[in-house]
Amino acid sequence: MQNRVSLCLSLSVLALSGGLLSATAARADTGIASYYWQGQSTASGERFNPSAMTAAHRSLPFGTKVRVTNLRNGRSVVVRINDRGPFVRGRIIDVSRAAASELGFTSNGITKVQLAVLD
């Protein structure tokens, strides 16, 4: 019983310290990426710059660096999260036009990607 309580307390402390969140965020997610280019304010308060290596993600903290790999051609870029989205079912990230260009999918508009959160 005492071991169970210790385990529960350890997991609670780990979860509160962000250890479980970090372990979850560190895994690679796979899904569909799209891109956007319109000038607008971002959810972080920055002005959107289509030439910057930035992206929108639903839950990662602003400032998080993410490696985005296009699974169709193997190209990858590192982007900084500065906005919220995408708000289309099935999509996991919206990247700037510059990032989409480097990834090689501006003509298609969407592509299958793998995301990896960088430390």
Side-chain angles (χ1 to χ4, degrees):
M1 182 68 172
Q2 186 177 7
N3 286 343
R4 230 184 210 168
V5 171
S6 295
L7 177 61
C8 287
L9 287 174
S10 296
L11 288 175
S12 296
V13 169
L14 183 62
L16 289 173
S17 70
L20 288 180
L21 177 62
S22 297
T24 301
R27 79 184 189 329
D29 288 324
T30 302
I32 302 297
S34 53
Y35 77 95
Y36 62 122
W37 66 94
Q38 301 93 340
Q40 59 198 23
S41 292
T42 64
S44 66
E46 295 177 40
R47 179 155 175 80
F48 175 69
N49 178 356
S51 300
M53 291 295 181
T54 57
H57 190 274
R58 286 187 197 99
S59 60
L60 288 173
F62 295 136
T64 301
K65 302 245 178 171
V66 179
R67 179 177 311 283
V68 182
T69 303
N70 184 338
L71 295 177
R72 293 190 175 138
N73 62 19
R75 293 183 186 179
S76 68
V77 296
V78 175
V79 296
R80 180 178 51 84
I81 303 299
N82 73 338
D83 203 2
R84 291 290 171 234
F87 299 109
V88 176
R89 181 183 289 229
R91 297 190 188 170
I92 62 171
I93 196 165
D94 273 337
V95 298
S96 65
R97 183 174 177 90
S101 181
E102 290 289 318
L103 290 166
F105 75 94
T106 53
S107 61
N108 297 338
I110 61 171
T111 194
K112 189 170 184 180
V113 296
Q114 183 175 48
L115 306 182
V117 175
L118 305 177
D119 289 334

